[in-house]
Structures are given as C-alpha cells and as structure tokens.
Amino acid sequence: IHMTQSPSSLSASVGDRVTITCRASQSISNFLNWYQQKPGKAPKLLIYAASSLQDGVPSRFSGSGSGTDFTLTISSLQPEDFATYYCQQRWTFGQGTKVEIK
Amino acid sequence: EVQLVESGGGSVQPGGSLRLSCAASGFTFSSYEMIWVRQAPGKGLEWVSYINSFGSIIFYADSVKGRFTISRDNAKNSLYLQMNSLRAEDTAVYYCAREATLLSWDYWGQGTLVTVSS
C-alpha cells in the first residue's frame, strides 16, 4: 500500500488553521496514524486510528477520514507546532509535510 | 515512565557489521510488539523491522531483508538489531519504538546514528 501525503511543505502563521492530507492507494479502513517530528527529535504520536487523540496531545490537533482519504487538522497553529508531520499505515509512512513559519 | 534508550550506533565501513540495542523500562516489555524505524539524513521515516512480543513473528523491509536480524530478550527488557553487510544507504538514525493501539507506535527512543562510509 502506498501513502501519498500533501502538501510536502506549507507556510503558515500563528493562529492559522492548517490541513494536511494523506491518501492510501487502497482502502485501509481507519488504520492511519499521524506523527509530529521536530528537528533532531524522535517522532511523536499525535493521532491513532485516524481520529483518536493520543494522551497528552492538545485538542487543537484532530484527525478524520476512513478508507483512502485522511486529514490532519491543526485548528489554531501555535509556535511549537512548526515541525514535520507524517502519516503512517502499518509499515508505510507518507513522505512528510514540513510546516514552516510564514 | 516509559523509556526506550538505543545504543550501539557508530561509524563502520561498507560491508561491516553493527549491533544496535534498545533498553526498555517503565512498562512490561514482554507484553509489547516492538519495531525499528530509520531516518536517513534529511529524509523521511522508513520502517525497518518488527518483532512480536514472543519473538516468534518477525518482518523486515525489503531493503534490509537478508542482512539485518531483529531479536529480543524479554528477561533483559531489551530489543536488538544485528546489521550485517552494511551499505552507504544504511546510513541513518535508527529508532526503536513500542507498538500500541491499532498498529500505532506510541513511545520512541531518542535514536542512534549509524554511519556507513569508507
């Protein structure tokens, strides 16, 4: 199964609503997870099973979708959210989306 | 507190070998599947290998199959990755991680850098 993540990068301002999409090459039900990675750090699990918020993750992060199309939304971008985001389905990661300061 | 601490990385020549370790604490290690993921410099994440809680089910990425061996010692709360016939393209930070709910990976180590170069 191939995962296509878009965009590869985006520029946004603090307070913006940000949406990242991930598309699977075939249906994966809701077996889709989202991670945040900051430079020099390990990835951090944000969302599992497409829409479940991992413990301790701020509620401004949300996930949606099922089947082949999935979305990660940050409702109001904060300074600490500038990072790279990856979707993951079993053994496959998306190529990543780098969220940069505008 | 759940902790995963990798060690064993370093510099090695092409064709050489390294053994990575991942020491687990703060949870019942023997109850969890574990994985290795790597990240080449400036690149994205790549899953490398999986092992179930008993060590009886193992999977590898095609890129490392036949060269890498994953194993675990539940008595020592440790996960291992034996890497043989190393290539330049194996240069990466290697992370161990715990598999949790619905095939997600909820705790990660800090990573250990493997550099393959002549």
Side-chain angles (χ1 to χ4, degrees):
Chain A
I1 297 176
H2 184 67
M3 307 301 294
T4 303
Q5 195 174 332
S6 62
S8 56
S9 65
L10 65 89
S11 295
S13 300
V14 172
D16 285 353
R17 181 181 183 89
V18 169
T19 299
I20 298 167
T21 64
C22 187
R23 174 165 288 176
S25 57
Q26 63 189 72
S27 178
I28 58 172
S29 184
N30 69 333
F31 292 105
L32 191 284
N33 310 307
W34 291 97
Y35 300 84
Q36 176 193 67
Q37 188 181 32
K38 296 181 179 179
K41 300 295 186 182
K44 174 186 175 182
L45 178 64
L46 298 177
I47 302 284
Y48 63 93
S51 60
S52 296
L53 194 67
Q54 175 69 357
D55 289 346
V57 174
S59 58
R60 63 181 180 271
F61 292 93
S62 64
S64 64
S66 66
T68 61
D69 294 313
F70 301 87
T71 299
L72 173 70
T73 299
I74 309 171
S75 60
S76 177
L77 198 66
Q78 297 302 300
E80 59 268 30
D81 300 337
F82 292 96
T84 300
Y85 294 84
Y86 295 92
C87 62
Q88 172 250 329
Q89 191 279 329
R90 206 49 181 124
W91 313 130
T92 306
F93 288 97
Q95 57 267 59
T97 296
K98 186 173 185 179
V99 176
E100 298 176 299
I101 300 172
K102 193 171 187 178
Chain B
E1 179 194 6
V2 171
Q3 280 199 312
L4 296 169
V5 179
E6 300 96 337
S7 61
S11 294
V12 62
Q13 292 188 337
S17 298
L18 277 177
R19 188 195 197 205
L20 306 184
S21 299
C22 171
S25 60
F27 66 103
T28 304
F29 179 72
S30 59
S31 297
Y32 287 85
E33 295 90 343
M34 298 293 294
I35 60 137
W36 288 97
V37 167
R38 69 183 181 183
Q39 186 169 38
K43 302 297 184 182
L45 300 168
E46 179 189 16
W47 167 78
V48 172
S49 187
Y50 160 95
I51 187 167
N52 74 338
S53 58
F54 301 106
S56 58
I57 299 175
I58 287 171
F59 299 114
Y60 298 100
D62 287 344
S63 57
V64 306
K65 201 172 294 182
R67 300 187 299 121
F68 289 13
T69 302
I70 191 171
S71 62
R72 66 190 295 160
D73 186 335
N74 287 341
K76 294 183 177 180
N77 292 333
S78 292
L79 175 73
Y80 305 102
L81 187 68
Q82 177 67 44
M83 304 186 297
N84 298 332
S85 303
L86 282 162
R87 306 167 180 167
E89 54 265 36
D90 296 319
T91 294
V93 174
Y94 285 74
Y95 297 99
C96 63
R98 184 180 85 166
E99 183 156 302
T101 310
L102 293 172
L103 311 180
S104 63
W105 301 322
D106 64 345
Y107 284 94
W108 295 64
Q110 84 287 353
T112 187
L113 176 62
V114 172
T115 303
V116 184
S117 173
S118 54

Coordinates of all heavy atoms in Angstrom, one line a residue, chain B residues 62-104:
Chain B
D62 N 12.0 -4.8 2.7 CA 12.8 -5.4 1.6 C 14.2 -4.9 1.5 O 15.1 -5.6 1.2 CB 12.1 -5.2 0.3 CG 10.8 -6.0 0.1 OD1 10.6 -7.0 0.9 OD2 10.0 -5.7 -0.8
S63 N 14.4 -3.6 1.9 CA 15.7 -3.0 1.8 C 16.7 -3.6 2.8 O 17.9 -3.4 2.6 CB 15.6 -1.5 2.1 OG 15.0 -1.3 3.3
V64 N 16.3 -4.3 3.8 CA 17.2 -4.9 4.8 C 17.1 -6.4 4.9 O 17.9 -7.0 5.6 CB 17.1 -4.2 6.1 CG1 17.1 -2.7 6.0 CG2 15.8 -4.7 6.8
K65 N 16.2 -7.0 4.2 CA 15.9 -8.4 4.3 C 17.2 -9.2 3.9 O 17.8 -8.9 2.9 CB 14.8 -8.8 3.5 CG 14.1 -10.1 3.8 CD 12.8 -10.3 3.0 CE 11.8 -9.3 3.3 NZ 10.5 -9.5 2.6
G66 N 17.6 -10.2 4.8 CA 18.7 -11.0 4.5 C 20.0 -10.4 5.1 O 21.0 -11.1 5.1
R67 N 20.0 -9.2 5.5 CA 21.2 -8.5 6.1 C 21.0 -8.1 7.5 O 22.0 -8.1 8.3 CB 21.5 -7.2 5.3 CG 21.8 -7.5 3.8 CD 22.2 -6.2 3.1 NE 21.2 -5.1 3.1 CZ 21.5 -3.9 3.7 NH1 22.7 -3.7 4.2 NH2 20.6 -3.0 3.7
F68 N 19.8 -7.8 7.9 CA 19.5 -7.4 9.3 C 18.7 -8.5 10.0 O 17.9 -9.2 9.4 CB 18.7 -6.1 9.3 CG 19.4 -4.8 8.9 CD1 20.6 -4.9 8.2 CD2 18.8 -3.6 9.1 CE1 21.3 -3.7 7.9 CE2 19.5 -2.4 8.7 CZ 20.7 -2.5 8.1
T69 N 18.9 -8.6 11.3 CA 18.2 -9.5 12.2 C 17.7 -8.8 13.4 O 18.5 -8.3 14.2 CB 19.1 -10.7 12.5 OG1 19.6 -11.4 11.4 CG2 18.3 -11.7 13.4
I70 N 16.4 -8.9 13.6 CA 15.8 -8.3 14.8 C 15.7 -9.5 15.9 O 15.4 -10.6 15.5 CB 14.5 -7.7 14.5 CG1 14.0 -6.9 15.7 CG2 13.4 -8.7 14.1 CD1 12.7 -6.0 15.4
S71 N 15.9 -9.1 17.1 CA 15.7 -10.1 18.2 C 15.4 -9.4 19.5 O 15.4 -8.1 19.5 CB 16.9 -11.0 18.4 OG 18.0 -10.2 18.8
R72 N 15.0 -10.1 20.5 CA 14.7 -9.5 21.8 C 15.0 -10.5 22.9 O 15.0 -11.7 22.7 CB 13.2 -9.1 21.8 CG 12.2 -10.2 21.8 CD 10.8 -9.7 21.6 NE 10.3 -8.9 22.7 CZ 9.3 -8.0 22.7 NH1 8.7 -7.8 21.5 NH2 9.0 -7.4 23.8
D73 N 15.3 -9.9 24.1 CA 15.5 -10.7 25.3 C 14.5 -10.1 26.3 O 14.8 -9.1 26.9 CB 16.9 -10.6 25.7 CG 17.3 -11.5 26.9 OD1 16.3 -11.8 27.7 OD2 18.4 -11.9 27.1
N74 N 13.4 -10.8 26.5 CA 12.4 -10.3 27.4 C 12.9 -10.3 28.9 O 12.5 -9.5 29.7 CB 11.1 -11.0 27.3 CG 10.4 -10.7 26.0 OD1 10.6 -9.7 25.4 ND2 9.5 -11.6 25.6
A75 N 13.8 -11.2 29.2 CA 14.3 -11.2 30.6 C 15.2 -10.0 30.8 O 15.3 -9.6 32.0 CB 15.1 -12.5 30.8
K76 N 15.8 -9.4 29.8 CA 16.7 -8.3 29.9 C 16.0 -7.0 29.5 O 16.6 -5.9 29.4 CB 17.9 -8.5 29.1 CG 18.8 -9.6 29.7 CD 20.1 -9.7 28.9 CE 21.0 -10.7 29.5 NZ 22.3 -10.9 28.7
N77 N 14.7 -7.1 29.1 CA 13.9 -5.9 28.6 C 14.7 -5.2 27.5 O 14.8 -4.0 27.5 CB 13.7 -4.9 29.8 CG 12.7 -5.5 30.8 OD1 11.9 -6.3 30.5 ND2 12.8 -5.0 32.1
S78 N 15.2 -6.0 26.6 CA 16.0 -5.4 25.5 C 15.6 -5.9 24.1 O 15.2 -7.0 24.0 CB 17.5 -5.7 25.8 OG 17.9 -5.0 26.9
L79 N 15.7 -5.0 23.2 CA 15.5 -5.2 21.8 C 16.8 -5.0 21.0 O 17.6 -4.2 21.4 CB 14.4 -4.3 21.2 CG 14.1 -4.2 19.8 CD1 13.3 -5.5 19.4 CD2 13.4 -3.0 19.4
Y80 N 17.0 -5.8 20.0 CA 18.3 -5.7 19.3 C 18.1 -5.7 17.8 O 17.0 -6.1 17.3 CB 19.2 -7.0 19.6 CG 19.4 -7.2 21.0 CD1 18.7 -8.2 21.7 CD2 20.3 -6.4 21.8 CE1 18.9 -8.4 23.1 CE2 20.5 -6.6 23.1 CZ 19.8 -7.6 23.8 OH 20.0 -7.8 25.1
L81 N 19.1 -5.1 17.1 CA 19.1 -5.1 15.6 C 20.5 -5.4 15.2 O 21.4 -4.6 15.3 CB 18.6 -3.8 15.0 CG 18.4 -3.9 13.5 CD1 17.3 -4.8 13.1 CD2 18.2 -2.5 12.9
Q82 N 20.7 -6.6 14.7 CA 22.0 -7.0 14.2 C 22.1 -6.6 12.7 O 21.2 -7.1 11.9 CB 22.3 -8.5 14.3 CG 23.6 -9.0 13.7 CD 24.8 -8.5 14.5 OE1 24.8 -8.5 15.7 NE2 25.8 -8.0 13.7
M83 N 23.0 -5.8 12.3 CA 23.1 -5.3 11.0 C 24.4 -5.7 10.3 O 25.5 -5.4 10.8 CB 23.0 -3.7 11.0 CG 21.8 -3.2 11.7 SD 21.6 -1.4 11.6 CE 23.1 -0.9 12.4
N84 N 24.3 -6.6 9.3 CA 25.4 -7.1 8.6 C 25.5 -6.5 7.2 O 24.5 -6.0 6.7 CB 25.4 -8.6 8.6 CG 25.5 -9.2 9.9 OD1 26.0 -8.7 10.9 ND2 24.9 -10.4 10.1
S85 N 26.6 -6.7 6.5 CA 26.7 -6.3 5.1 C 26.2 -4.9 4.9 O 25.5 -4.6 4.0 CB 26.0 -7.3 4.2 OG 26.4 -8.6 4.3
L86 N 26.7 -4.0 5.8 CA 26.2 -2.6 5.7 C 26.6 -1.9 4.5 O 27.7 -2.1 3.9 CB 26.6 -1.9 7.0 CG 25.8 -2.2 8.2 CD1 26.6 -1.8 9.5 CD2 24.4 -1.6 8.2
R87 N 25.7 -1.0 4.0 CA 25.9 -0.2 2.8 C 25.8 1.2 3.1 O 25.2 1.6 4.2 CB 24.8 -0.6 1.8 CG 24.7 -2.1 1.5 CD 23.4 -2.4 0.7 NE 23.2 -3.8 0.4 CZ 22.1 -4.3 -0.1 NH1 21.0 -3.5 -0.2 NH2 22.0 -5.6 -0.4
A88 N 26.3 2.1 2.2 CA 26.2 3.5 2.4 C 24.8 4.0 2.6 O 24.5 4.8 3.5 CB 26.8 4.2 1.3
E89 N 23.8 3.3 1.9 CA 22.4 3.7 2.0 C 21.8 3.3 3.4 O 20.6 3.7 3.6 CB 21.6 3.2 0.9 CG 21.7 1.7 0.6 CD 22.8 1.3 -0.4 OE1 23.9 2.0 -0.4 OE2 22.6 0.3 -1.1
D90 N 22.5 2.6 4.2 CA 22.0 2.3 5.5 C 22.3 3.4 6.5 O 21.9 3.3 7.7 CB 22.6 0.9 6.1 CG 22.2 -0.3 5.2 OD1 21.0 -0.3 4.8 OD2 23.1 -1.1 4.9
T91 N 23.1 4.4 6.1 CA 23.4 5.5 7.0 C 22.1 6.2 7.4 O 21.3 6.6 6.6 CB 24.3 6.5 6.3 OG1 25.6 5.9 6.0 CG2 24.5 7.8 7.1
A92 N 21.9 6.3 8.7 CA 20.6 6.8 9.2 C 20.6 6.9 10.7 O 21.5 6.3 11.4 CB 19.4 5.9 8.8
V93 N 19.7 7.6 11.3 CA 19.4 7.5 12.7 C 18.4 6.3 12.8 O 17.4 6.3 12.1 CB 18.8 8.8 13.3 CG1 18.3 8.6 14.7 CG2 19.8 9.9 13.2
Y94 N 18.7 5.4 13.7 CA 17.8 4.3 14.0 C 17.1 4.5 15.3 O 17.7 4.7 16.3 CB 18.6 3.0 14.0 CG 19.1 2.6 12.6 CD1 20.1 3.2 12.0 CD2 18.5 1.5 12.0 CE1 20.5 2.9 10.7 CE2 18.9 1.1 10.7 CZ 19.9 1.8 10.1 OH 20.3 1.5 8.8
Y95 N 15.7 4.3 15.2 CA 14.9 4.5 16.4 C 14.2 3.1 16.7 O 13.8 2.4 15.8 CB 13.7 5.4 16.1 CG 14.1 6.9 15.8 CD1 14.2 7.3 14.5 CD2 14.4 7.7 16.9 CE1 14.5 8.7 14.3 CE2 14.7 9.1 16.6 CZ 14.8 9.5 15.3 OH 15.1 10.8 15.1
C96 N 14.1 2.8 18.0 CA 13.2 1.7 18.4 C 11.9 2.3 18.9 O 11.9 3.5 19.3 CB 13.8 0.8 19.4 SG 14.2 1.6 21.0
A97 N 10.8 1.6 18.7 CA 9.6 2.1 19.2 C 8.7 1.0 19.6 O 8.8 -0.2 19.2 CB 8.9 2.9 18.1
R98 N 7.7 1.3 20.5 CA 6.8 0.3 21.0 C 5.5 0.4 20.2 O 5.0 1.5 19.9 CB 6.5 0.7 22.5 CG 5.6 -0.3 23.2 CD 5.3 0.1 24.6 NE 4.2 1.1 24.7 CZ 3.6 1.4 25.9 NH1 4.1 0.8 27.0 NH2 2.6 2.2 25.9
E99 N 5.0 -0.8 19.9 CA 3.7 -0.8 19.1 C 2.5 -0.8 20.1 O 2.5 -1.6 21.1 CB 3.6 -2.0 18.2 CG 2.3 -2.1 17.4 CD 2.4 -2.9 16.1 OE1 3.3 -2.6 15.3 OE2 1.6 -3.8 16.0
A100 N 1.6 0.1 19.9 CA 0.4 0.2 20.8 C -0.9 0.0 20.1 O -1.0 -0.8 19.2 CB 0.5 1.6 21.5
T101 N -1.8 0.8 20.4 CA -3.2 0.6 20.0 C -3.3 0.7 18.5 O -2.8 1.7 17.9 CB -4.1 1.7 20.6 OG1 -3.9 1.7 22.0 CG2 -5.6 1.4 20.3
L102 N -4.0 -0.3 17.9 CA -4.3 -0.2 16.5 C -3.1 0.1 15.6 O -3.2 1.0 14.7 CB -5.5 0.8 16.2 CG -6.8 0.3 16.9 CD1 -7.8 1.4 16.8 CD2 -7.3 -1.0 16.2
L103 N -2.0 -0.6 15.8 CA -0.9 -0.5 14.9 C -0.2 0.8 14.9 O 0.5 1.2 14.0 CB -1.2 -0.9 13.5 CG -2.0 -2.3 13.4 CD1 -2.3 -2.6 12.0 CD2 -1.3 -3.4 14.0
S104 N -0.4 1.6 16.0 CA 0.4 2.9 16.1 C 1.6 2.6 17.0 O 1.7 1.6 17.7 CB -0.5 3.9 16.8 OG -0.9 3.6 18.1

